[in-house]
Amino acid sequence: MAPSFPSFTKIWHSKPYPYIDPTRPELSAKGRNVVVTGGATGIGLAISVAFAKAGAKSVVIMGRRAEKLEEGKKTITAAGAAGTTVSYKVVDLVKKEDTVAAFNAVAQEFGKIDVLIANASVFGQGGMIADLTAEGLMSTVELNAVTVLHSLQAFLPNAAKGAVLIHSNTSMAHTAPWPGAGTYPLSKALALKLMDYAAAEHPDLRIISTHPCWAPTDLNGHTAAAPDSPDLAGHTFVWLASPEADFLKGKFVWSNWDAEELVARKEEILADKSLLTWMVNGVPA
């Protein structure tokens, strides 16, 4: 499919495709413990299901609503491979002590965490900059950036050797502004820079930021305009956590981009440190 947005790859996807199928042996998550924040609904649920299909040792979803987590657990268990344990933790990621306790409990129960998907998010206050309130902005920052900070801090002491952290961000954090988008892209830009610093300070981790996809979910009111399947993000995240995507460490990647094309451009991406990062055009990073 031709790109509907400016794209790094010639091929553009809105649905899953065979190369990123989580059952492909090269993408196996066997023996790996996976944590997905916001993993009970929408794109987070699709990501959780994909890792279960890839045969992860455990998939633990985190969120604030016990009933949604219970429903999510049933969906993931039904779709997952035999031998994958699915569990959940009810936690408010805004609260650091509770977040640390939840991650510690996962590590005690299953062992070190191999993959963290920082996915929990809200849209927040919409509107023009002139009309936003400080309270609306700070509330969105708390839910979209502080939660990522706390998840990262709780993950670090419990991370396995060679662990992977994939952050569900948005194209709106790095593309030209969309007037009226409100607090969402502002908070996501903060979270994106947080990931940049985390990657610089913890080079032992593979940290990747993503535009997961534009799918109809609770976040956007299930808009009919959203053309993508949540499973595109789910399958892409499994691929990003696999050895095939190790060259994308520290990069920003859209799930819509073709993974085979990215692999074909591996040497180019490794050689040019500015590719798939955000910077001031014309100023060396």
Side-chain angles (χ1 to χ4, degrees), residues 125-178:
Q125 182 185 17
M128 304 293 280
I129 292 294
D131 300 320
L132 300 182
T133 65
E135 293 79 12
L137 173 60
M138 296 313 296
S139 174
T140 312
V141 165
E142 193 172 56
L143 293 168
N144 287 350
V146 173
T147 56
V148 175
L149 173 65
H150 290 168
S151 298
L152 169 66
Q153 291 172 331
F155 171 59
L156 288 173
N158 293 305
K161 183 178 180 180
V164 179
L165 193 170
I166 303 174
H167 178 223
S168 289
N169 202 284
T170 173
S171 62
M172 296 172 75
H174 73 84
T175 54
W178 294 11

Short mmCIF file of all heavy atoms in Angstrom, two decimals, residues 125-178:
data_model
loop_
_atom_site.label_atom_id
_atom_site.label_comp_id
_atom_site.label_asym_id
_atom_site.label_seq_id
_atom_site.Cartn_x
_atom_site.Cartn_y
_atom_site.Cartn_z
N GLN A 125 -6.91 17.12 27.53
CA GLN A 125 -7.69 18.30 27.15
C GLN A 125 -7.39 18.71 25.70
O GLN A 125 -6.24 18.94 25.34
CB GLN A 125 -7.38 19.46 28.10
CG GLN A 125 -8.19 20.72 27.81
CD GLN A 125 -7.78 21.89 28.70
OE1 GLN A 125 -6.72 21.89 29.30
NE2 GLN A 125 -8.62 22.91 28.76
N GLY A 126 -8.42 18.79 24.89
CA GLY A 126 -8.26 19.25 23.53
C GLY A 126 -8.46 20.74 23.42
O GLY A 126 -8.86 21.40 24.39
N GLY A 127 -8.15 21.29 22.25
CA GLY A 127 -8.39 22.71 22.03
C GLY A 127 -7.15 23.47 21.62
O GLY A 127 -6.05 22.93 21.59
N MET A 128 -7.36 24.75 21.30
CA MET A 128 -6.26 25.61 20.89
C MET A 128 -5.42 26.00 22.11
O MET A 128 -5.92 26.05 23.24
CB MET A 128 -6.81 26.87 20.21
CG MET A 128 -7.72 26.58 19.02
SD MET A 128 -6.87 25.82 17.62
CE MET A 128 -6.13 27.30 16.89
N ILE A 129 -4.15 26.29 21.87
CA ILE A 129 -3.24 26.65 22.95
C ILE A 129 -3.80 27.81 23.78
O ILE A 129 -3.70 27.82 25.01
CB ILE A 129 -1.86 27.03 22.38
CG1 ILE A 129 -1.16 25.80 21.79
CG2 ILE A 129 -0.97 27.67 23.45
CD1 ILE A 129 -0.79 24.73 22.79
N ALA A 130 -4.41 28.78 23.12
CA ALA A 130 -4.95 29.95 23.82
C ALA A 130 -6.04 29.59 24.82
O ALA A 130 -6.31 30.35 25.76
CB ALA A 130 -5.48 30.97 22.82
N ASP A 131 -6.64 28.42 24.65
CA ASP A 131 -7.77 28.04 25.50
C ASP A 131 -7.43 26.96 26.53
O ASP A 131 -8.27 26.61 27.36
CB ASP A 131 -8.93 27.54 24.63
CG ASP A 131 -9.41 28.60 23.66
OD1 ASP A 131 -9.48 29.78 24.07
OD2 ASP A 131 -9.69 28.26 22.49
N LEU A 132 -6.22 26.40 26.46
CA LEU A 132 -5.85 25.33 27.39
C LEU A 132 -5.67 25.90 28.80
O LEU A 132 -5.31 27.06 28.99
CB LEU A 132 -4.55 24.65 26.95
CG LEU A 132 -4.56 23.98 25.58
CD1 LEU A 132 -3.21 23.31 25.32
CD2 LEU A 132 -5.69 22.96 25.47
N THR A 133 -5.91 25.03 29.77
CA THR A 133 -5.67 25.43 31.16
C THR A 133 -4.42 24.75 31.68
O THR A 133 -4.04 23.66 31.22
CB THR A 133 -6.85 25.03 32.05
OG1 THR A 133 -6.95 23.58 32.08
CG2 THR A 133 -8.15 25.62 31.53
N ALA A 134 -3.79 25.38 32.66
CA ALA A 134 -2.61 24.77 33.28
C ALA A 134 -2.98 23.44 33.93
O ALA A 134 -2.22 22.47 33.87
CB ALA A 134 -2.01 25.72 34.31
N GLU A 135 -4.18 23.40 34.51
CA GLU A 135 -4.63 22.16 35.16
C GLU A 135 -4.80 21.04 34.14
O GLU A 135 -4.41 19.89 34.38
CB GLU A 135 -5.95 22.41 35.89
CG GLU A 135 -5.86 23.35 37.08
CD GLU A 135 -5.81 24.82 36.69
OE1 GLU A 135 -6.07 25.15 35.50
OE2 GLU A 135 -5.51 25.64 37.58
N GLY A 136 -5.38 21.39 32.99
CA GLY A 136 -5.56 20.39 31.94
C GLY A 136 -4.24 19.88 31.42
O GLY A 136 -4.07 18.67 31.18
N LEU A 137 -3.29 20.78 31.21
CA LEU A 137 -1.97 20.39 30.73
C LEU A 137 -1.28 19.48 31.74
O LEU A 137 -0.76 18.41 31.38
CB LEU A 137 -1.12 21.62 30.46
CG LEU A 137 0.35 21.37 30.10
CD1 LEU A 137 0.46 20.51 28.85
CD2 LEU A 137 1.10 22.69 29.93
N MET A 138 -1.25 19.89 33.00
CA MET A 138 -0.52 19.12 34.00
C MET A 138 -1.16 17.75 34.25
O MET A 138 -0.47 16.77 34.51
CB MET A 138 -0.41 19.91 35.30
CG MET A 138 0.42 21.19 35.17
SD MET A 138 2.01 20.97 34.30
CE MET A 138 2.85 19.87 35.44
N SER A 139 -2.49 17.68 34.13
CA SER A 139 -3.16 16.40 34.29
C SER A 139 -2.75 15.44 33.17
O SER A 139 -2.48 14.25 33.41
CB SER A 139 -4.68 16.60 34.26
OG SER A 139 -5.36 15.36 34.27
N THR A 140 -2.67 15.95 31.94
CA THR A 140 -2.26 15.11 30.81
C THR A 140 -0.80 14.71 30.93
O THR A 140 -0.43 13.56 30.64
CB THR A 140 -2.51 15.83 29.47
OG1 THR A 140 -3.82 16.39 29.46
CG2 THR A 140 -2.37 14.87 28.30
N VAL A 141 0.04 15.63 31.35
CA VAL A 141 1.46 15.33 31.56
C VAL A 141 1.61 14.24 32.61
O VAL A 141 2.41 13.30 32.47
CB VAL A 141 2.24 16.60 31.97
CG1 VAL A 141 3.60 16.24 32.54
CG2 VAL A 141 2.38 17.54 30.79
N GLU A 142 0.82 14.34 33.66
CA GLU A 142 0.89 13.34 34.73
C GLU A 142 0.56 11.95 34.20
O GLU A 142 1.24 10.97 34.51
CB GLU A 142 -0.09 13.72 35.84
CG GLU A 142 0.09 12.95 37.12
CD GLU A 142 -0.76 13.50 38.25
OE1 GLU A 142 -2.00 13.59 38.08
OE2 GLU A 142 -0.20 13.87 39.31
N LEU A 143 -0.47 11.86 33.36
CA LEU A 143 -0.93 10.56 32.88
C LEU A 143 -0.13 10.03 31.69
O LEU A 143 -0.09 8.82 31.47
CB LEU A 143 -2.41 10.64 32.52
CG LEU A 143 -3.34 10.87 33.73
CD1 LEU A 143 -4.74 11.25 33.26
CD2 LEU A 143 -3.38 9.65 34.61
N ASN A 144 0.50 10.91 30.92
CA ASN A 144 1.23 10.47 29.72
C ASN A 144 2.74 10.50 29.86
O ASN A 144 3.44 9.89 29.06
CB ASN A 144 0.83 11.33 28.52
CG ASN A 144 -0.56 11.01 28.01
OD1 ASN A 144 -1.18 10.03 28.42
ND2 ASN A 144 -1.08 11.84 27.13
N ALA A 145 3.26 11.21 30.85
CA ALA A 145 4.71 11.31 31.01
C ALA A 145 5.17 10.85 32.39
O ALA A 145 6.13 10.07 32.49
CB ALA A 145 5.19 12.73 30.74
N VAL A 146 4.48 11.30 33.44
CA VAL A 146 4.87 10.87 34.78
C VAL A 146 4.70 9.36 34.93
O VAL A 146 5.52 8.68 35.55
CB VAL A 146 4.07 11.63 35.85
CG1 VAL A 146 4.32 11.07 37.24
CG2 VAL A 146 4.42 13.12 35.82
N THR A 147 3.64 8.81 34.35
CA THR A 147 3.44 7.36 34.40
C THR A 147 4.58 6.61 33.70
O THR A 147 4.99 5.53 34.15
CB THR A 147 2.11 6.97 33.74
OG1 THR A 147 2.07 7.47 32.40
CG2 THR A 147 0.93 7.52 34.51
N VAL A 148 5.09 7.19 32.62
CA VAL A 148 6.22 6.58 31.91
C VAL A 148 7.48 6.66 32.78
O VAL A 148 8.25 5.69 32.88
CB VAL A 148 6.45 7.28 30.55
CG1 VAL A 148 7.70 6.72 29.86
CG2 VAL A 148 5.24 7.11 29.65
N LEU A 149 7.68 7.80 33.42
CA LEU A 149 8.82 7.96 34.32
C LEU A 149 8.78 6.92 35.44
O LEU A 149 9.78 6.24 35.71
CB LEU A 149 8.82 9.37 34.91
CG LEU A 149 9.87 9.65 36.01
CD1 LEU A 149 11.28 9.54 35.45
CD2 LEU A 149 9.62 11.01 36.64
N HIS A 150 7.66 6.79 36.09
CA HIS A 150 7.54 5.83 37.20
C HIS A 150 7.70 4.40 36.72
O HIS A 150 8.34 3.58 37.40
CB HIS A 150 6.21 6.02 37.90
CG HIS A 150 6.11 7.28 38.68
ND1 HIS A 150 4.92 7.76 39.20
CD2 HIS A 150 7.06 8.19 39.05
CE1 HIS A 150 5.15 8.90 39.85
NE2 HIS A 150 6.43 9.18 39.75
N SER A 151 7.15 4.08 35.56
CA SER A 151 7.30 2.72 35.01
C SER A 151 8.76 2.42 34.72
O SER A 151 9.26 1.32 35.02
CB SER A 151 6.46 2.57 33.73
OG SER A 151 5.09 2.74 34.00
N LEU A 152 9.45 3.38 34.13
CA LEU A 152 10.87 3.22 33.84
C LEU A 152 11.66 3.02 35.13
O LEU A 152 12.49 2.11 35.23
CB LEU A 152 11.39 4.44 33.09
CG LEU A 152 12.91 4.55 32.92
CD1 LEU A 152 13.43 3.43 32.04
CD2 LEU A 152 13.28 5.91 32.33
N GLN A 153 11.41 3.85 36.12
CA GLN A 153 12.15 3.77 37.37
C GLN A 153 11.89 2.44 38.09
O GLN A 153 12.81 1.88 38.70
CB GLN A 153 11.77 4.95 38.28
CG GLN A 153 12.28 6.29 37.75
CD GLN A 153 11.74 7.47 38.54
OE1 GLN A 153 10.64 7.41 39.11
NE2 GLN A 153 12.52 8.56 38.58
N ALA A 154 10.68 1.93 38.01
CA ALA A 154 10.36 0.65 38.63
C ALA A 154 10.93 -0.53 37.83
O ALA A 154 11.25 -1.59 38.39
CB ALA A 154 8.84 0.50 38.75
N PHE A 155 11.06 -0.34 36.53
CA PHE A 155 11.57 -1.37 35.63
C PHE A 155 13.08 -1.57 35.78
O PHE A 155 13.57 -2.72 35.78
CB PHE A 155 11.21 -0.98 34.20
CG PHE A 155 11.82 -1.81 33.10
CD1 PHE A 155 11.59 -3.17 33.02
CD2 PHE A 155 12.60 -1.20 32.12
CE1 PHE A 155 12.13 -3.94 32.00
CE2 PHE A 155 13.15 -1.94 31.09
CZ PHE A 155 12.91 -3.32 31.02
N LEU A 156 13.83 -0.48 35.94
CA LEU A 156 15.29 -0.55 35.90
C LEU A 156 15.89 -1.60 36.84
O LEU A 156 16.70 -2.42 36.40
CB LEU A 156 15.88 0.83 36.19
CG LEU A 156 15.72 1.86 35.06
CD1 LEU A 156 16.19 3.24 35.53
CD2 LEU A 156 16.48 1.43 33.82
N PRO A 157 15.54 -1.63 38.13
CA PRO A 157 16.15 -2.64 39.00
C PRO A 157 15.64 -4.05 38.76
O PRO A 157 16.23 -5.02 39.26
CB PRO A 157 15.79 -2.15 40.41
CG PRO A 157 14.55 -1.36 40.23
CD PRO A 157 14.68 -0.71 38.87
N ASN A 158 14.57 -4.18 38.00
CA ASN A 158 13.98 -5.49 37.73
C ASN A 158 14.19 -5.95 36.29
O ASN A 158 13.62 -6.98 35.88
CB ASN A 158 12.47 -5.45 38.03
CG ASN A 158 12.19 -5.28 39.50
OD1 ASN A 158 12.66 -6.06 40.33
ND2 ASN A 158 11.42 -4.25 39.86
N ALA A 159 14.98 -5.20 35.53
CA ALA A 159 15.17 -5.52 34.12
C ALA A 159 16.17 -6.65 33.93
O ALA A 159 17.23 -6.69 34.59
CB ALA A 159 15.65 -4.28 33.37
N ALA A 160 15.86 -7.55 33.03
CA ALA A 160 16.79 -8.64 32.68
C ALA A 160 17.94 -8.09 31.85
O ALA A 160 17.86 -6.98 31.29
CB ALA A 160 16.04 -9.71 31.90
N LYS A 161 18.99 -8.83 31.74
CA LYS A 161 20.11 -8.45 30.88
C LYS A 161 19.62 -8.37 29.44
O LYS A 161 18.95 -9.26 28.95
CB LYS A 161 21.25 -9.46 31.01
CG LYS A 161 22.48 -9.10 30.20
CD LYS A 161 23.59 -10.13 30.39
CE LYS A 161 24.82 -9.74 29.57
NZ LYS A 161 25.92 -10.74 29.74
N GLY A 162 19.96 -7.26 28.77
CA GLY A 162 19.53 -7.08 27.39
C GLY A 162 18.05 -6.78 27.24
O GLY A 162 17.46 -7.02 26.18
N ALA A 163 17.44 -6.23 28.28
CA ALA A 163 16.00 -5.96 28.27
C ALA A 163 15.62 -4.91 27.22
O ALA A 163 16.46 -4.10 26.80
CB ALA A 163 15.52 -5.51 29.65
N VAL A 164 14.35 -4.94 26.84
CA VAL A 164 13.81 -4.04 25.82
C VAL A 164 12.70 -3.20 26.43
O VAL A 164 11.84 -3.72 27.16
CB VAL A 164 13.25 -4.85 24.62
CG1 VAL A 164 12.65 -3.92 23.57
CG2 VAL A 164 14.33 -5.74 24.01
N LEU A 165 12.71 -1.91 26.13
CA LEU A 165 11.63 -1.00 26.53
C LEU A 165 11.10 -0.33 25.27
O LEU A 165 11.84 0.36 24.57
CB LEU A 165 12.14 0.06 27.51
CG LEU A 165 11.10 0.91 28.27
CD1 LEU A 165 11.81 1.72 29.36
CD2 LEU A 165 10.33 1.87 27.38
N ILE A 166 9.83 -0.56 24.98
CA ILE A 166 9.19 0.06 23.82
C ILE A 166 8.11 1.00 24.33
O ILE A 166 7.23 0.60 25.11
CB ILE A 166 8.59 -0.99 22.88
CG1 ILE A 166 9.67 -1.98 22.43
CG2 ILE A 166 7.95 -0.32 21.67
CD1 ILE A 166 9.13 -3.14 21.59
N HIS A 167 8.18 2.25 23.89
CA HIS A 167 7.23 3.26 24.35
C HIS A 167 6.22 3.56 23.25
O HIS A 167 6.60 3.90 22.12
CB HIS A 167 7.97 4.55 24.72
CG HIS A 167 7.07 5.66 25.16
ND1 HIS A 167 7.25 6.96 24.76
CD2 HIS A 167 5.97 5.66 25.95
CE1 HIS A 167 6.30 7.72 25.30
NE2 HIS A 167 5.51 6.95 26.02
N SER A 168 4.94 3.44 23.57
CA SER A 168 3.87 3.84 22.64
C SER A 168 3.74 5.36 22.71
O SER A 168 3.16 5.89 23.65
CB SER A 168 2.54 3.20 23.04
OG SER A 168 2.53 1.83 22.80
N ASN A 169 4.27 6.04 21.72
CA ASN A 169 4.19 7.48 21.68
C ASN A 169 3.17 7.88 20.61
O ASN A 169 2.12 7.26 20.51
CB ASN A 169 5.58 8.10 21.43
CG ASN A 169 5.68 9.53 21.89
OD1 ASN A 169 5.18 10.43 21.25
ND2 ASN A 169 6.32 9.74 23.04
N THR A 170 3.45 8.86 19.81
CA THR A 170 2.55 9.27 18.73
C THR A 170 3.34 10.07 17.71
O THR A 170 4.30 10.77 18.06
CB THR A 170 1.39 10.13 19.25
OG1 THR A 170 0.64 10.64 18.14
CG2 THR A 170 1.87 11.31 20.08
N SER A 171 2.92 9.99 16.47
CA SER A 171 3.53 10.80 15.42
C SER A 171 3.38 12.29 15.74
O SER A 171 4.20 13.12 15.32
CB SER A 171 2.86 10.51 14.07
OG SER A 171 1.47 10.84 14.12
N MET A 172 2.35 12.64 16.51
CA MET A 172 2.08 14.05 16.82
C MET A 172 3.17 14.67 17.69
O MET A 172 3.24 15.90 17.81
CB MET A 172 0.72 14.19 17.49
CG MET A 172 -0.44 13.76 16.60
SD MET A 172 -2.02 13.71 17.47
CE MET A 172 -2.36 15.46 17.60
N ALA A 173 4.02 13.85 18.28
CA ALA A 173 5.11 14.38 19.10
C ALA A 173 6.25 14.92 18.26
O ALA A 173 7.06 15.71 18.75
CB ALA A 173 5.63 13.30 20.04
N HIS A 174 6.33 14.50 16.98
CA HIS A 174 7.48 14.93 16.17
C HIS A 174 7.09 15.51 14.81
O HIS A 174 7.94 16.04 14.10
CB HIS A 174 8.47 13.77 15.98
CG HIS A 174 7.99 12.69 15.05
ND1 HIS A 174 8.13 12.78 13.69
CD2 HIS A 174 7.39 11.50 15.28
CE1 HIS A 174 7.63 11.69 13.13
NE2 HIS A 174 7.17 10.89 14.08
N THR A 175 5.83 15.42 14.43
CA THR A 175 5.42 15.97 13.13
C THR A 175 4.98 17.42 13.30
O THR A 175 4.91 17.94 14.41
CB THR A 175 4.28 15.15 12.54
OG1 THR A 175 3.21 15.06 13.49
CG2 THR A 175 4.74 13.75 12.17
N ALA A 176 4.68 18.09 12.18
CA ALA A 176 4.22 19.48 12.23
C ALA A 176 2.97 19.59 13.09
O ALA A 176 2.13 18.69 13.09
CB ALA A 176 3.94 19.98 10.82
N PRO A 177 2.82 20.66 13.84
CA PRO A 177 1.68 20.80 14.75
C PRO A 177 0.33 20.73 14.05
O PRO A 177 0.17 21.23 12.93
CB PRO A 177 1.90 22.18 15.37
CG PRO A 177 3.36 22.45 15.24
CD PRO A 177 3.77 21.80 13.96
N TRP A 178 -0.64 20.12 14.72
CA TRP A 178 -2.02 20.09 14.28
C TRP A 178 -2.79 21.05 15.16
O TRP A 178 -3.07 20.75 16.33
CB TRP A 178 -2.62 18.69 14.43
CG TRP A 178 -2.03 17.63 13.57
CD1 TRP A 178 -0.89 17.71 12.83
CD2 TRP A 178 -2.54 16.31 13.37
NE1 TRP A 178 -0.65 16.53 12.18
CE2 TRP A 178 -1.65 15.65 12.48
CE3 TRP A 178 -3.65 15.62 13.83
CZ2 TRP A 178 -1.84 14.34 12.08
CZ3 TRP A 178 -3.84 14.31 13.42
CH2 TRP A 178 -2.96 13.68 12.55
#
